[in-house]
Amino acid sequence: MQRVLVTGGAGFVGSNIVRYLIHETPVHVTVLDALTYAGAWKTLEGLPASRLERVQGDIRDARIVDRLVARADAVIHCAAESHNDNSLRDPLSFISTNVMGTGVLLEACRTYDARFHHISTDEVFGDLPLEGEAAFTEATPYEPSSPYSATKAASDHLVRAWIRSFGLSATISNCSNNYGPWQHVEKFIPRQITNLVDGVRPRLYGDGLHVRDWIHARDHASAVWAIVEKGRIGETYLIGARGEMSNKEIAGLILAEFGRSPDDVEYVDDRPGHDRRYALDPSKIMAETGWAPETDMAAGMRETVQWYRDNEAWWRPAKAGVEKTYRAEGF
Ligand code: NAD
Ligand code: DAU
């Protein structure tokens, strides 16, 4: 495999995958990204131009998608509207990008016989009770809660249909919550770190006891490449690092980096339809590909806090607008 097309490569997960491909593999990478509010070329700064081509364009634009897929051996599809809170404000844009956009890419991959890997989320399975040890597996039925997760579920189903009906060479991964550098300040962890830089207390939705299963974006990237190289065509793999923590516990870790008490938080309104707990079992990808996460959560969080302290120029332009929108809604 020589040429890989990464959609959404100027966003958080996509840029971490692009960095992994450039640093850990010999492939040439083309990024197709519309550069919405969530994407920027500055996120890919420092990577060698000889290995990386950057194309601004929309995954719903069949002409540009066809041109790029025609010369790719594989497509890693990350482009999406990705934020649950935004999907409650403007659900139709999620249907358009996440469903139609995936459909356009699938048609191009069918035409040019390209290998397709679909990046999806554990949120397609809905949520789990706080009590108990239950975890999602590849066999868990789909039960998405938000417009965002419903559009991701729809796109997963499209990929399965193209595999079965057209014999497309495709795989799917459903990953848990990512953290790490280059995540937009609208998301939980960057929002609280950058709040604390500004002297504002972390803001927890509802009772703050909702649980997410955290993985470093670098480990997500290595898992995706393990699937592209060693995964079985037609299969789905769950990616996670067994990193369950409540939002209150995460806020405590961040507060500790600023030398503040773990209780120095503010409780705000709850997200409508807020999923209670995610947890997933990554046994299948580990057994079939030999992949394992490498980042220790405490060390990864320290490094992430430091990254936001060192890279204010990257996130500062978005901060005031994000906070204005949140505050207007009681968050
Ligand atoms: P993000 O919002 O940071 O980045 C999305 C990128 O897609 C941006 O660069 C944006 O410009 C681009 N994009 C949006 N619409 C586009 C369009 N129509 N055409 C071309 N490019 C477009 O999102 P993220 O957190 O990096 O998520 C990327 C993917 O990973 C999504 O599919 C998401 O469902 C999945 N995922 C994310 C996480 C997580 O915790 N962040 C976990 C599991 C799965
Ligand atoms: O599980 C994978 C998903 O993780 C991905 O598919 C999504 O693209 C990604 O955005 C993420 O979704 P979440 O909704 O879990 O992430 P978010 O960062 O928005 O919120 C994480 C938790 O923190 C969630 O329980 C809501 C809560 N929260 C969020 C914000 C922004 C707060 O308590 N306060 C906040 O200010």
Side-chain angles (χ1 to χ4, degrees):
M1 191 167 301
Q2 292 180 337
R3 297 186 69 94
V4 177
L5 173 65
V6 180
T7 70
F12 169 50
V13 168
S15 66
N16 276 282
I17 290 175
V18 171
R19 271 171 210 282
Y20 181 86
L21 294 178
I22 300 282
H23 292 139
E24 307 294 335
T25 81
V27 300
H28 180 275
V29 178
T30 300
V31 169
L32 172 62
D33 199 297
L35 304 184
T36 67
Y37 80 95
W41 291 139
K42 66 182 175 184
T43 300
L44 296 171
E45 253 166 28
L47 296 173
S50 58
R51 297 274 309 281
L52 176 65
E53 179 191 20
R54 303 177 308 179
V55 179
Q56 181 172 0
D58 198 301
I59 54 167
R60 294 164 293 185
D61 178 347
R63 271 190 326 165
I64 199 164
V65 165
D66 263 37
R67 179 165 69 77
L68 298 180
V69 172
R71 51 186 172 80
D73 299 308
V75 176
I76 298 178
H77 174 34
C78 304
E81 288 295 340
S82 67
H83 191 37
N84 276 299
D85 292 326
N86 291 344
S87 82
L88 300 167
R89 296 174 190 127
D90 177 21
L92 296 185
S93 67
F94 283 67
I95 297 173
S96 179
T97 287
N98 298 357
V99 183
M100 270 309 295
T102 301
V104 169
L105 280 158
L106 288 168
E107 277 297 81
C109 288
R110 176 159 83 103
T111 303
Y112 297 102
D113 199 22
R115 166 89 166 82
F116 185 76
H117 181 73
H118 183 56
I119 304 288
S120 192
T121 169
D122 60 355
E123 296 195 10
V124 297
F125 303 117
D127 62 354
L128 297 162
L130 269 188
E131 307 73 29
E133 301 291 308
F136 303 134
T137 72
E138 286 79 4
T140 303
Y142 276 39
E143 205 176 342
S145 314
S146 73
Y148 161 69
S149 50
T151 61
K152 292 301 292 186
S155 65
D156 291 9
H157 290 315
L158 291 181
V159 179
R160 295 219 174 89
W162 261 245
I163 293 168
R164 176 152 175 174
S165 302
F166 304 123
L168 191 77
S169 289
T171 40
I172 298 173
S173 54
N174 299 86
C175 190
S176 62
N177 283 65
N178 286 217
Y179 71 97
W182 294 290
Q183 188 169 30
H184 197 275
V185 289
E186 69 191 353
K187 303 295 193 325
F188 177 59
I189 289 176
R191 184 182 185 205
Q192 313 316 336
I193 297 171
T194 54
N195 275 351
L196 281 162
V197 168
D198 287 343
V200 174
R201 295 197 291 174
R203 296 170 74 83
L204 296 180
Y205 292 175
D207 61 12
L209 298 179
H210 301 76
V211 168
R212 296 293 181 265
D213 187 349
W214 293 97
I215 181 173
H216 197 285
R218 221 173 16 226
D219 287 327
H220 185 183
S222 63
V224 167
W225 189 243
I227 296 168
V228 172
E229 280 210 306
K230 302 178 198 153
R232 284 182 293 137
I233 297 300
E235 291 292 311
T236 289
Y237 295 87
L238 301 197
I239 302 173
R242 301 189 197 278
E244 275 188 75
M245 290 187 87
S246 73
N247 296 336
K248 173 78 166 53
E249 288 171 316
I250 292 281
L253 285 181
I254 300 170
L255 281 157
E257 293 301 311
F258 286 82
R260 293 173 62 158
S261 152
D263 294 322
D264 208 358
V265 297
E266 189 163 342
Y267 293 93
V268 297
D269 289 351
D270 205 355
R271 173 186 281 172
H274 195 177
D275 280 339
R276 200 54 166 153
R277 171 175 165 256
Y278 305 142
L280 66 81
D281 177 357
S283 304
K284 179 176 170 181
I285 182 177
M286 295 177 86
E288 289 194 16
T289 72
W291 170 83
E294 290 180 354
T295 313
D296 166 74
M297 179 84 191
M301 281 296 293
R302 267 199 306 280
E303 175 207 299
T304 302
V305 171
Q306 194 58 46
W307 189 89
Y308 281 91
R309 284 176 144 160
D310 293 342
N311 290 278
E312 185 162 342
W314 182 85
W315 56 263
R316 177 59 72 188
K319 181 69 180 167
V322 164
E323 286 307 317
K324 191 170 169 213
T325 305
Y326 274 134
R327 300 300 171 112
E329 293 172 340
F331 298 138

